Protein backbone atom coordinates (compact mmCIF):
# COMPACT_ATOMS: atom_id res chain seq x y z
CA UNK A 1 0.00 0.00 0.00
CA UNK A 2 2.87 2.32 0.89
CA UNK A 3 4.51 1.74 -2.52
CA UNK A 4 1.25 2.43 -4.35
CA UNK A 5 0.72 5.67 -2.43
CA UNK A 6 4.20 6.91 -3.27
CA UNK A 7 3.77 6.04 -6.95
CA UNK A 8 0.47 7.86 -7.17
CA UNK A 9 1.91 10.87 -5.32
CA UNK A 10 4.94 10.99 -7.59
CA UNK A 11 2.92 10.69 -10.79
CA UNK A 12 0.20 13.16 -9.90
CA UNK A 13 2.23 15.38 -7.64
CA UNK A 14 -0.32 15.36 -4.82
CA UNK A 15 -1.16 13.24 -1.76
CA UNK A 16 -3.51 10.28 -2.05
CA UNK A 17 -6.32 11.84 0.12
CA UNK A 18 -6.51 14.83 -2.22
CA UNK A 19 -6.67 12.53 -5.22
CA UNK A 20 -9.55 10.71 -3.53
CA UNK A 21 -11.32 14.01 -2.86
CA UNK A 22 -10.95 15.17 -6.48
CA UNK A 23 -12.26 11.85 -7.82
CA UNK A 24 -15.18 12.00 -5.38
CA UNK A 25 -16.10 15.56 -6.43
CA UNK A 26 -15.92 14.60 -10.11
CA UNK A 27 -18.20 11.59 -9.52
CA UNK A 28 -20.60 13.70 -7.45
CA UNK A 29 -20.90 16.31 -10.20
CA UNK A 30 -21.32 13.67 -12.89
CA UNK A 31 -24.02 11.78 -10.98
CA UNK A 32 -26.02 14.93 -10.21
CA UNK A 33 -25.61 16.47 -13.65
CA UNK A 34 -25.79 13.52 -16.02
CA UNK A 35 -27.78 10.76 -14.29
CA UNK A 36 -31.05 10.29 -12.42
CA UNK A 37 -29.27 9.49 -9.15
CA UNK A 38 -30.62 11.68 -6.34
CA UNK A 39 -28.27 14.13 -4.64
CA UNK A 40 -28.52 12.19 -1.36
CA UNK A 41 -27.31 8.93 -2.91
CA UNK A 42 -24.74 10.80 -5.02
CA UNK A 43 -23.24 12.34 -1.87
CA UNK A 44 -23.04 8.95 -0.15
CA UNK A 45 -21.31 7.47 -3.22
CA UNK A 46 -18.89 10.42 -3.30
CA UNK A 47 -18.16 9.99 0.41
CA UNK A 48 -17.43 6.30 -0.11
CA UNK A 49 -15.09 7.02 -3.02
CA UNK A 50 -13.30 9.79 -1.09
CA UNK A 51 -12.73 7.41 1.82
CA UNK A 52 -11.55 4.32 -0.09
CA UNK A 53 -9.48 6.25 -2.66
CA UNK A 54 -8.14 8.44 0.14
CA UNK A 55 -6.55 5.55 1.99
CA UNK A 56 -9.28 4.41 4.40
CA UNK A 57 -10.32 0.77 4.54
CA UNK A 58 -13.88 -0.24 3.66
CA UNK A 59 -14.84 -0.63 7.32
CA UNK A 60 -13.22 2.69 8.26
CA UNK A 61 -15.11 4.38 5.43
CA UNK A 62 -18.48 2.99 6.54
CA UNK A 63 -17.72 3.93 10.15
CA UNK A 64 -16.86 7.51 9.19
CA UNK A 65 -20.00 7.85 7.06
CA UNK A 66 -22.21 6.60 9.89
CA UNK A 67 -20.48 8.83 12.43
CA UNK A 68 -20.68 11.94 10.26
CA UNK A 69 -24.30 11.34 9.30
CA UNK A 70 -25.40 10.74 12.88
CA UNK A 71 -23.47 13.58 14.48
CA UNK A 72 -24.72 16.13 11.95
CA UNK A 73 -28.38 15.18 12.27
CA UNK A 74 -27.98 14.77 16.01
CA UNK A 75 -27.15 18.46 16.31
CA UNK A 76 -29.72 19.97 13.94
CA UNK A 77 -32.23 17.29 12.87
CA UNK A 78 -34.73 18.01 15.65
CA UNK A 79 -34.48 21.75 15.01
CA UNK A 80 -35.22 21.26 11.30
CA UNK A 81 -38.27 19.15 12.12
CA UNK A 82 -39.65 21.72 14.56
CA UNK A 83 -38.95 24.57 12.15
CA UNK A 84 -40.94 23.04 9.31
CA UNK A 85 -43.82 22.24 11.69
CA UNK A 86 -44.01 25.89 12.68
CA UNK A 87 -43.80 27.00 9.06
CA UNK A 88 -46.75 24.80 8.09
CA UNK A 89 -48.90 26.30 10.86
CA UNK A 90 -48.06 29.84 9.70
CA UNK A 91 -48.97 28.83 6.17
CA UNK A 92 -52.38 27.24 6.80
CA UNK A 93 -53.51 29.75 9.47
CA UNK A 94 -53.26 32.81 7.22
CA UNK A 95 -50.52 34.35 9.38
CA UNK A 96 -48.26 34.89 6.37
CA UNK A 97 -51.00 36.72 4.46
CA UNK A 98 -51.77 38.81 7.53
CA UNK A 99 -48.17 39.99 7.72
CA UNK A 100 -48.18 40.98 4.06
CA UNK A 101 -51.44 42.88 4.41
CA UNK A 102 -50.25 44.67 7.58
CA UNK A 103 -46.99 45.85 6.03
CA UNK A 104 -48.82 47.03 2.89
CA UNK A 105 -51.33 48.95 4.99
CA UNK A 106 -48.53 50.54 7.02
CA UNK A 107 -46.34 51.57 4.09
CA UNK A 108 -49.19 52.75 1.86
CA UNK A 109 -49.46 53.10 -1.90
CA UNK A 110 -46.41 53.11 -4.17
CA UNK A 111 -44.41 51.19 -1.55
CA UNK A 112 -46.07 47.83 -1.98
CA UNK A 113 -42.87 46.25 -3.30
CA UNK A 114 -41.07 47.10 -0.05
CA UNK A 115 -43.97 45.76 1.99
CA UNK A 116 -43.90 42.47 0.08
CA UNK A 117 -40.10 42.22 0.33
CA UNK A 118 -40.25 42.75 4.11
CA UNK A 119 -43.00 40.16 4.37
CA UNK A 120 -40.95 37.66 2.36
CA UNK A 121 -37.87 38.42 4.46
CA UNK A 122 -39.75 37.48 7.67
CA UNK A 123 -42.05 34.71 6.43
CA UNK A 124 -39.36 32.65 4.71
CA UNK A 125 -37.41 32.17 7.93
CA UNK A 126 -39.72 29.31 8.99
CA UNK A 127 -41.68 28.54 5.77
CA UNK A 128 -40.29 26.76 2.71
CA UNK A 129 -39.73 29.30 -0.03
CA UNK A 130 -41.81 27.54 -2.71
CA UNK A 131 -44.83 27.20 -0.41
CA UNK A 132 -44.46 30.76 0.89
CA UNK A 133 -44.53 32.22 -2.62
CA UNK A 134 -47.61 30.19 -3.54
CA UNK A 135 -49.36 31.44 -0.40
CA UNK A 136 -48.35 35.11 -0.76
CA UNK A 137 -48.42 35.52 -4.54
CA UNK A 138 -52.21 36.19 -4.56
CA UNK A 139 -51.46 39.22 -2.36
CA UNK A 140 -49.04 40.55 -4.99
CA UNK A 141 -51.53 39.78 -7.74
CA UNK A 142 -54.33 41.58 -5.90
CA UNK A 143 -52.13 44.64 -5.50
CA UNK A 144 -51.14 44.56 -9.16
CA UNK A 145 -54.80 44.47 -10.16
CA UNK A 146 -56.23 46.81 -7.55
CA UNK A 147 -53.54 49.49 -7.51
CA UNK A 148 -52.34 48.94 -11.08
CA UNK A 149 -48.76 48.33 -10.03
CA UNK A 150 -46.46 46.17 -12.12
CA UNK A 151 -46.83 42.49 -11.25
CA UNK A 152 -43.20 41.99 -12.28
CA UNK A 153 -42.02 44.46 -9.64
CA UNK A 154 -44.28 43.13 -6.90
CA UNK A 155 -43.68 39.46 -7.69
CA UNK A 156 -39.89 39.75 -7.89
CA UNK A 157 -39.75 41.89 -4.73
CA UNK A 158 -41.77 39.28 -2.85
CA UNK A 159 -39.72 36.39 -4.22
CA UNK A 160 -36.50 38.28 -3.44
CA UNK A 161 -37.41 38.75 0.21
CA UNK A 162 -38.37 35.09 0.43
CA UNK A 163 -35.36 33.55 -1.26
CA UNK A 164 -32.61 35.44 0.58
CA UNK A 165 -33.62 34.57 4.15
CA UNK A 166 -34.52 31.06 2.99
CA UNK A 167 -30.88 30.64 1.99
CA UNK A 168 -29.20 32.47 4.87
CA UNK A 169 -31.24 32.41 8.12
CA UNK A 170 -31.97 29.49 10.48
CA UNK A 171 -34.26 27.71 11.24
CA UNK A 172 -34.51 27.24 7.48
CA UNK A 173 -33.03 23.74 7.02
CA UNK A 174 -30.12 24.68 4.73
CA UNK A 175 -28.53 27.31 7.01
CA UNK A 176 -29.22 25.05 10.00
CA UNK A 177 -27.27 22.24 8.35
CA UNK A 178 -24.40 24.57 7.48
CA UNK A 179 -24.26 25.88 11.06
CA UNK A 180 -24.10 22.30 12.35
CA UNK A 181 -21.35 21.27 9.91
CA UNK A 182 -19.18 24.30 10.77
CA UNK A 183 -20.01 24.00 14.47
CA UNK A 184 -21.05 27.63 14.89
CA UNK A 185 -23.48 29.05 17.45
CA UNK A 186 -27.00 29.07 16.07
CA UNK A 187 -27.83 32.47 17.59
CA UNK A 188 -24.78 34.03 15.93
CA UNK A 189 -25.67 32.34 12.62
CA UNK A 190 -29.22 33.66 12.84
CA UNK A 191 -28.18 37.24 13.62
CA UNK A 192 -25.40 37.40 11.02
CA UNK A 193 -27.62 35.82 8.36
CA UNK A 194 -30.38 38.36 8.98
CA UNK A 195 -27.87 41.25 8.78
CA UNK A 196 -26.22 40.04 5.56
CA UNK A 197 -29.64 39.37 4.01
CA UNK A 198 -30.88 42.98 4.27
CA UNK A 199 -28.58 44.55 1.59
CA UNK A 200 -29.23 41.56 -0.69
CA UNK A 201 -33.00 42.09 -0.49
CA UNK A 202 -32.61 45.83 -1.08
CA UNK A 203 -30.57 45.14 -4.22
CA UNK A 204 -33.24 42.76 -5.52
CA UNK A 205 -36.05 45.28 -4.88
CA UNK A 206 -34.26 47.99 -6.86
CA UNK A 207 -33.78 45.51 -9.67
CA UNK A 208 -37.49 44.70 -9.47
CA UNK A 209 -38.21 48.41 -9.99
CA UNK A 210 -35.90 48.39 -13.00
CA UNK A 211 -37.97 45.54 -14.47
CA UNK A 212 -41.03 47.77 -14.32
CA UNK A 213 -39.27 50.36 -16.47
CA UNK A 214 -37.99 47.80 -18.96
CA UNK A 215 -41.29 45.94 -19.31
CA UNK A 216 -43.92 48.65 -18.73
CA UNK A 217 -46.54 46.81 -20.76
CA UNK A 218 -46.42 43.65 -18.63
CA UNK A 219 -49.25 44.55 -16.25
CA UNK A 220 -49.61 48.26 -15.85
CA UNK A 221 -52.18 50.93 -16.76
CA UNK A 222 -52.17 54.64 -16.08
CA UNK A 223 -54.28 55.76 -13.12
CA UNK A 224 -54.49 59.07 -11.34
CA UNK A 225 -53.31 59.41 -7.75
CA UNK A 226 -56.90 59.53 -6.46
CA UNK A 227 -57.88 56.42 -8.40
CA UNK A 228 -54.81 54.54 -7.20
CA UNK A 229 -55.60 55.47 -3.59
CA UNK A 230 -59.21 54.33 -4.00
CA UNK A 231 -58.08 50.98 -5.39
CA UNK A 232 -55.64 50.45 -2.53
CA UNK A 233 -58.28 51.39 0.05
CA UNK A 234 -60.61 48.82 -1.54
CA UNK A 235 -57.96 46.12 -1.19
CA UNK A 236 -57.39 47.01 2.48
CA UNK A 237 -61.15 46.86 3.20
CA UNK A 238 -61.34 43.45 1.55
CA UNK A 239 -58.45 42.12 3.63
CA UNK A 240 -59.89 43.55 6.84
CA UNK A 241 -63.10 41.58 6.23
CA UNK A 242 -61.17 38.29 6.18
CA UNK A 243 -60.88 36.17 9.31
CA UNK A 244 -57.11 36.34 9.80
CA UNK A 245 -55.09 36.20 13.02
CA UNK A 246 -53.78 39.46 14.47
CA UNK A 247 -50.37 40.75 13.41
CA UNK A 248 -49.02 40.17 16.92
CA UNK A 249 -50.10 36.53 16.93
CA UNK A 250 -48.92 36.06 13.34
CA UNK A 251 -45.39 37.22 14.15
CA UNK A 252 -45.14 35.75 17.66
CA UNK A 253 -44.05 32.22 16.57
CA UNK A 254 -41.26 33.75 14.45
CA UNK A 255 -40.05 36.36 16.92
CA UNK A 256 -40.29 34.23 20.08
CA UNK A 257 -37.55 31.64 19.27
CA UNK A 258 -35.29 34.40 17.95
CA UNK A 259 -35.66 36.32 21.22
CA UNK A 260 -35.04 33.20 23.33
CA UNK A 261 -31.96 32.17 21.34
CA UNK A 262 -30.58 35.72 21.47
CA UNK A 263 -31.24 35.89 25.22
CA UNK A 264 -29.02 32.87 25.79
CA UNK A 265 -26.31 34.29 23.52
CA UNK A 266 -26.36 37.61 25.40
CA UNK A 267 -26.24 35.94 28.82
CA UNK A 268 -23.30 33.81 27.66
CA UNK A 269 -21.49 36.92 26.41
CA UNK A 270 -22.15 38.91 29.58
CA UNK A 271 -21.09 35.99 31.77
CA UNK A 272 -17.87 35.53 29.80
CA UNK A 273 -16.73 39.12 30.39
CA UNK A 274 -18.28 39.75 33.83
CA UNK A 275 -16.54 37.11 35.92
CA UNK A 276 -12.80 37.43 36.54
CA UNK A 277 -12.13 33.75 37.26
CA UNK A 278 -13.21 30.47 35.73
CA UNK A 279 -14.55 29.30 39.09
CA UNK A 280 -16.83 32.33 39.35
CA UNK A 281 -18.10 31.75 35.81
CA UNK A 282 -18.85 28.09 36.56
CA UNK A 283 -20.70 29.11 39.72
CA UNK A 284 -22.80 31.58 37.70
CA UNK A 285 -23.56 28.95 35.06
CA UNK A 286 -24.67 26.51 37.72
CA UNK A 287 -27.25 29.00 39.09
CA UNK A 288 -30.98 28.80 38.46
CA UNK A 289 -31.09 31.98 36.35
CA UNK A 290 -28.47 30.84 33.85
CA UNK A 291 -29.84 27.29 33.70
CA UNK A 292 -33.34 28.61 32.94
CA UNK A 293 -32.10 30.91 30.16
CA UNK A 294 -29.84 28.17 28.78
CA UNK A 295 -32.77 25.74 28.69
CA UNK A 296 -35.36 27.96 26.98
CA UNK A 297 -32.67 29.51 24.75
CA UNK A 298 -31.57 26.18 23.37
CA UNK A 299 -32.76 26.07 19.72
CA UNK A 300 -34.63 22.79 20.26
CA UNK A 301 -36.58 24.08 23.26
CA UNK A 302 -37.10 27.56 21.75
CA UNK A 303 -38.62 26.12 18.58
CA UNK A 304 -40.67 23.56 20.49
CA UNK A 305 -42.18 26.40 22.54
CA UNK A 306 -42.79 28.33 19.32
CA UNK A 307 -44.62 25.38 17.71
CA UNK A 308 -46.88 25.08 20.76
CA UNK A 309 -47.57 28.82 20.72
CA UNK A 310 -48.40 28.66 16.98
CA UNK A 311 -50.79 25.74 17.45
CA UNK A 312 -52.72 27.28 20.33
CA UNK A 313 -52.81 30.89 19.11
CA UNK A 314 -53.11 30.54 15.30
CA UNK A 315 -55.30 27.42 15.17
CA UNK A 316 -57.41 27.75 18.33
CA UNK A 317 -60.49 26.04 16.88
CA UNK A 318 -58.83 23.43 14.70
CA UNK A 319 -59.51 19.81 15.58
CA UNK A 320 -56.84 17.51 16.97
CA UNK A 321 -56.86 15.45 13.76
CA UNK A 322 -56.40 18.47 11.46
CA UNK A 323 -53.67 19.94 13.66
CA UNK A 324 -51.77 16.64 13.61
CA UNK A 325 -52.19 16.47 9.82
CA UNK A 326 -50.71 19.96 9.32
CA UNK A 327 -47.73 19.20 11.57
CA UNK A 328 -47.07 15.87 9.84
CA UNK A 329 -47.24 17.54 6.41
CA UNK A 330 -44.50 19.89 7.53
CA UNK A 331 -42.27 17.05 8.73
CA UNK A 332 -42.85 15.09 5.51
CA UNK A 333 -41.57 18.00 3.42
CA UNK A 334 -38.35 18.10 5.47
CA UNK A 335 -37.48 14.42 5.00
CA UNK A 336 -35.22 14.69 1.96
CA UNK A 337 -33.51 17.79 3.37
CA UNK A 338 -32.63 15.84 6.52
CA UNK A 339 -31.13 13.07 4.40
CA UNK A 340 -29.08 15.46 2.24
CA UNK A 341 -27.83 17.33 5.32
CA UNK A 342 -26.82 14.05 6.97
CA UNK A 343 -25.04 12.93 3.79
CA UNK A 344 -23.15 16.21 3.81
CA UNK A 345 -22.01 15.49 7.34
CA UNK A 346 -20.89 12.03 6.23
CA UNK A 347 -18.79 13.49 3.42
CA UNK A 348 -17.21 15.96 5.84
CA UNK A 349 -16.31 13.14 8.27
CA UNK A 350 -14.63 11.20 5.47
CA UNK A 351 -12.50 14.21 4.52
CA UNK A 352 -11.42 14.66 8.14
CA UNK A 353 -10.65 10.98 8.78
CA UNK A 354 -8.82 10.43 5.48
CA UNK A 355 -6.61 13.47 6.01
CA UNK A 356 -7.84 15.18 2.81
CA UNK A 357 -8.86 18.26 4.79
CA UNK A 358 -5.42 18.70 6.30
CA UNK A 359 -3.60 18.08 3.02
CA UNK A 360 -5.87 20.44 1.10
CA UNK A 361 -5.45 23.14 3.77
CA UNK A 362 -1.68 23.08 3.32
CA UNK A 363 -1.95 23.42 -0.47
CA UNK A 364 -4.55 26.18 -0.25
CA UNK A 365 -2.56 28.22 2.25
CA UNK A 366 0.39 28.20 -0.16
CA UNK A 367 -1.18 28.62 -3.60
CA UNK A 368 -4.60 30.33 -3.56
CA UNK A 369 -4.73 34.01 -4.68
CA UNK A 370 -7.71 34.64 -2.36
CA UNK A 371 -8.35 33.79 1.28
CA UNK A 372 -9.63 30.37 2.46
CA UNK A 373 -12.91 31.98 3.57
CA UNK A 374 -13.95 32.02 -0.10
CA UNK A 375 -13.66 28.24 -0.51
CA UNK A 376 -17.18 27.42 0.78
CA UNK A 377 -18.53 30.35 -1.27
CA UNK A 378 -16.97 29.07 -4.50
CA UNK A 379 -17.91 25.41 -3.94
CA UNK A 380 -21.52 26.33 -3.07
CA UNK A 381 -21.67 28.57 -6.15
CA UNK A 382 -20.49 25.79 -8.45
CA UNK A 383 -22.84 23.23 -6.91
CA UNK A 384 -25.77 25.64 -7.16
CA UNK A 385 -25.09 26.17 -10.87
CA UNK A 386 -24.62 22.45 -11.50
CA UNK A 387 -27.66 20.99 -9.72
CA UNK A 388 -29.94 23.91 -8.77
CA UNK A 389 -30.86 23.15 -5.15
CA UNK A 390 -29.65 25.85 -2.78
CA UNK A 391 -29.81 23.48 0.19
CA UNK A 392 -27.68 20.83 -1.53
CA UNK A 393 -25.26 23.52 -2.73
CA UNK A 394 -24.63 25.07 0.69
CA UNK A 395 -24.47 21.73 2.50
CA UNK A 396 -21.98 20.38 -0.06
CA UNK A 397 -19.91 23.57 0.16
CA UNK A 398 -19.86 23.31 3.94
CA UNK A 399 -19.13 19.57 3.96
CA UNK A 400 -16.11 19.85 1.66
CA UNK A 401 -14.69 23.08 3.08
CA UNK A 402 -15.24 22.66 6.85
CA UNK A 403 -12.56 19.93 7.28
CA UNK A 404 -10.17 22.04 5.18
CA UNK A 405 -10.77 25.31 7.03
CA UNK A 406 -10.60 23.50 10.37
CA UNK A 407 -6.91 22.85 9.68
CA UNK A 408 -6.09 26.53 9.06
CA UNK A 409 -5.46 28.75 12.07
CA UNK A 410 -7.53 31.88 12.61
CA UNK A 411 -10.45 31.10 10.26
CA UNK A 412 -13.73 32.69 11.37
CA UNK A 413 -16.04 29.70 11.01
CA UNK A 414 -19.17 31.87 11.35
CA UNK A 415 -18.18 33.90 8.30
CA UNK A 416 -17.25 30.68 6.48
CA UNK A 417 -20.76 29.38 7.17
CA UNK A 418 -22.24 32.65 5.88
CA UNK A 419 -20.07 32.34 2.76
CA UNK A 420 -21.50 28.87 2.04
CA UNK A 421 -25.09 30.11 2.35
CA UNK A 422 -24.44 33.15 0.15
CA UNK A 423 -22.80 31.02 -2.54
CA UNK A 424 -26.00 28.98 -2.82
CA UNK A 425 -27.92 32.02 -4.17
CA UNK A 426 -26.07 32.09 -7.50
CA UNK A 427 -28.05 32.30 -10.76
CA UNK A 428 -31.24 30.36 -10.11
CA UNK A 429 -32.33 28.87 -13.44
CA UNK A 430 -33.85 25.74 -15.06
CA UNK A 431 -32.69 23.21 -12.47
CA UNK A 432 -34.02 25.29 -9.55
CA UNK A 433 -37.64 24.52 -8.60
CA UNK A 434 -38.24 28.08 -7.35
CA UNK A 435 -37.26 29.44 -10.77
CA UNK A 436 -40.28 27.64 -12.25
CA UNK A 437 -42.59 28.58 -9.38
CA UNK A 438 -41.87 32.29 -9.83
CA UNK A 439 -41.98 32.37 -13.63
CA UNK A 440 -44.97 30.09 -14.12
CA UNK A 441 -47.11 31.83 -11.53
CA UNK A 442 -46.36 35.15 -13.20
CA UNK A 443 -47.11 33.68 -16.62
CA UNK A 444 -43.68 34.22 -18.18
CA UNK A 445 -43.01 31.71 -20.96
CA UNK A 446 -40.04 33.18 -22.86
CA UNK A 447 -36.78 31.65 -21.61
CA UNK A 448 -34.69 34.83 -21.98
CA UNK A 449 -37.30 36.86 -20.13
CA UNK A 450 -37.47 34.19 -17.42
CA UNK A 451 -33.74 34.53 -16.83
CA UNK A 452 -33.95 38.33 -16.75
CA UNK A 453 -36.85 38.19 -14.31
CA UNK A 454 -35.38 35.66 -11.86
CA UNK A 455 -31.85 34.41 -12.64
CA UNK A 456 -30.38 37.92 -12.46
CA UNK A 457 -31.97 39.00 -9.14
CA UNK A 458 -30.58 35.90 -7.41
CA UNK A 459 -27.15 36.67 -8.87
CA UNK A 460 -27.40 40.24 -7.58
CA UNK A 461 -28.11 38.89 -4.09
CA UNK A 462 -25.22 36.42 -4.52
CA UNK A 463 -22.78 39.19 -5.54
CA UNK A 464 -23.81 41.58 -2.77
CA UNK A 465 -23.83 38.83 -0.13
CA UNK A 466 -20.50 37.36 -1.19
CA UNK A 467 -18.81 40.77 -1.22
CA UNK A 468 -20.25 41.66 2.21
CA UNK A 469 -19.03 38.40 3.79
CA UNK A 470 -15.58 38.97 2.27
CA UNK A 471 -15.44 42.55 3.60
CA UNK A 472 -16.57 41.33 7.04
CA UNK A 473 -13.72 38.80 6.93
CA UNK A 474 -11.25 41.60 6.14
CA UNK A 475 -12.44 43.44 9.25
CA UNK A 476 -13.23 40.65 11.73
CA UNK A 477 -11.53 37.58 10.28
CA UNK A 478 -8.02 36.46 9.54
CA UNK A 479 -6.01 36.20 6.34
CA UNK A 480 -8.44 38.14 4.16
CA UNK A 481 -7.47 39.41 0.74
CA UNK A 482 -8.66 42.48 -1.15
CA UNK A 483 -9.37 40.11 -4.04
CA UNK A 484 -12.11 38.39 -2.00
CA UNK A 485 -14.89 41.03 -2.34
CA UNK A 486 -13.78 41.87 -5.89
CA UNK A 487 -14.32 38.30 -7.15
CA UNK A 488 -18.15 38.14 -6.74
CA UNK A 489 -18.54 41.74 -7.94
CA UNK A 490 -16.62 41.03 -11.15
CA UNK A 491 -18.73 37.94 -11.85
CA UNK A 492 -21.89 39.93 -11.10
CA UNK A 493 -20.74 42.67 -13.49
CA UNK A 494 -20.14 40.13 -16.26
CA UNK A 495 -23.55 38.53 -15.75
CA UNK A 496 -25.28 41.93 -15.71
CA UNK A 497 -23.47 42.98 -18.90
CA UNK A 498 -24.66 39.81 -20.61
CA UNK A 499 -28.22 40.39 -19.44
CA UNK A 500 -28.24 43.97 -20.61
CA UNK A 501 -27.15 42.71 -24.03
CA UNK A 502 -29.95 40.13 -23.99
CA UNK A 503 -32.46 42.79 -22.93
CA UNK A 504 -31.51 45.06 -25.83
CA UNK A 505 -32.19 42.15 -28.21
CA UNK A 506 -35.59 41.46 -26.62
CA UNK A 507 -36.72 45.10 -26.65
CA UNK A 508 -35.32 45.82 -30.12
Amino acid sequence: METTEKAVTTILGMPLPIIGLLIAIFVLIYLVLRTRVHAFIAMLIAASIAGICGGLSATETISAISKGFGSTLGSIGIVIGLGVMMGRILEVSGAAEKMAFSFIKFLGEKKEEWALAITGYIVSIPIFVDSAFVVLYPVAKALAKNSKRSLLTLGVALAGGLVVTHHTVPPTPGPLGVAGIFGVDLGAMLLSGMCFAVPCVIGMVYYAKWLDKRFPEFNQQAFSEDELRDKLDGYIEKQQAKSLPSLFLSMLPIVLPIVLIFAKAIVDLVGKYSFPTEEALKAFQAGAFYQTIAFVGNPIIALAISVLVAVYTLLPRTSVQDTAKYLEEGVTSAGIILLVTGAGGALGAILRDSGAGKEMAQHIAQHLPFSPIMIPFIIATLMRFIQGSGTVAMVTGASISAPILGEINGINMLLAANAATMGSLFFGYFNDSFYWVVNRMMGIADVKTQMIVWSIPTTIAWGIGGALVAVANLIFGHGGSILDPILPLIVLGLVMTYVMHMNRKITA
Side-chain angles (χ1 to χ4, degrees), residues 478-492:
H478 173 77
S481 166
I482 193 64
L483 292 175
D484 297 346
I486 294 176
L487 174 65
L489 294 179
I490 289 176
V491 175
L492 174 60

Side-chain angles (χ1 to χ4, degrees), residues 140-494:
K141 195 170 182 180
L143 286 174
K145 289 181 178 179
N146 293 336
S147 64
K148 297 304 173 182
R149 298 299 308 279
S150 170
L151 186 56
L152 272 181
T153 296
L154 300 185
V156 171
L158 170 61
L162 289 168
V163 78
V164 174
T165 50
H166 175 78
H167 281 243
T168 60
V169 181
T172 303
L176 265 178
V178 171
I181 291 169
F182 277 103
V184 302
D185 179 75
L186 197 57
M189 184 73 178
L190 195 152
L191 178 60
S192 60
M194 291 180 73
C195 292
F196 284 129
V198 171
C200 300
V201 174
I202 292 173
M204 295 182 82
V205 172
Y206 277 109
Y207 181 82
K209 290 186 173 185
W210 175 85
L211 287 174
D212 183 17
K213 296 177 182 178
R214 290 295 180 179
F215 300 95
E217 75 289 347
F218 189 81
N219 186 42
Q220 192 173 23
Q221 298 176 15
F223 271 72
S224 68
E225 291 295 319
D226 290 338
E227 287 174 317
L228 186 146
R229 190 176 296 107
D230 289 341
K231 295 291 183 182
L232 185 63
D233 290 343
Y235 167 74
I236 291 175
E237 289 176 7
K238 181 181 177 182
Q239 292 300 110
Q240 285 175 332
K242 285 187 176 182
S243 178
L244 297 175
S246 68
L247 179 61
F248 173 77
L249 293 180
S250 297
M251 295 193 66
L252 183 60
I254 299 175
V255 175
L256 181 59
I258 294 175
V259 170
L260 293 176
I261 292 170
F262 280 168
K264 180 182 179 297
I266 291 170
V267 170
D268 283 337
L269 191 64
V270 171
K272 182 179 179 181
Y273 292 103
S274 297
F275 296 93
T277 64
E278 187 175 340
E279 290 75 14
L281 178 59
K282 287 182 178 179
F284 167 72
Q285 291 176 341
F289 173 76
Y290 179 84
Q291 288 296 313
T292 301
I293 296 297
F295 180 75
V296 299
N298 181 280
I300 293 175
I301 303 302
L303 278 168
I305 293 172
S306 180
V307 171
L308 290 174
V309 168
V311 167
Y312 284 100
T313 59
L314 298 178
L315 299 175
R317 298 179 183 85
T318 306
S319 67
V320 175
Q321 292 80 7
D322 286 342
T323 301
K325 183 185 72 172
Y326 296 144
L327 295 175
E328 289 166 7
E329 286 172 352
V331 174
T332 301
S333 63
I336 194 62
I337 292 177
L338 288 169
L339 291 176
V340 169
T341 303
L347 178 58
I350 287 289
L351 300 188
R352 281 188 292 271
D353 289 4
S354 69
K358 184 176 181 179
E359 296 286 354
M360 188 66 78
Q362 293 173 354
H363 280 68
I364 286 169
Q366 295 173 3
H367 303 323
L368 276 188
F370 45 81
S371 68
I373 199 75
M374 299 304 289
I375 296 173
F377 179 76
I378 293 171
I379 296 174
T381 298
L382 293 174
M383 288 304 299
R384 161 74 165 180
F385 189 74
I386 289 167
Q387 52 77 48
S389 168
T391 299
V392 172
M394 67 178 79
V395 168
T396 305
S399 303
I400 294 174
S401 60
I404 298 171
L405 300 185
E407 299 291 337
I408 303 175
N409 293 330
I411 296 296
N412 188 318
M413 286 300 193
L414 175 60
L415 292 178
N418 292 134
T421 60
M422 286 299 176
S424 69
L425 282 165
F426 183 73
F427 204 78
Y429 74 121
F430 311 129
N431 53 7
D432 174 21
S433 63
F434 195 50
Y435 170 94
W436 296 111
V437 171
V438 171
N439 281 299
R440 283 174 176 168
M441 291 199 72
M442 288 198 291
I444 302 170
D446 179 71
V447 173
K448 291 183 178 178
T449 307
Q450 287 176 345
M451 294 173 68
I452 290 173
V453 166
W454 189 237
S455 302
I456 302 310
T458 56
T459 309
I460 290 173
W462 170 88
I464 294 173
L468 285 174
V469 172
V471 170
N473 184 57
L474 286 173
I475 300 171
F476 304 109
H478 173 77
S481 166
I482 193 64
L483 292 175
D484 297 346
I486 294 176
L487 174 65
L489 294 179
I490 289 176
V491 175
L492 174 60
L494 292 173

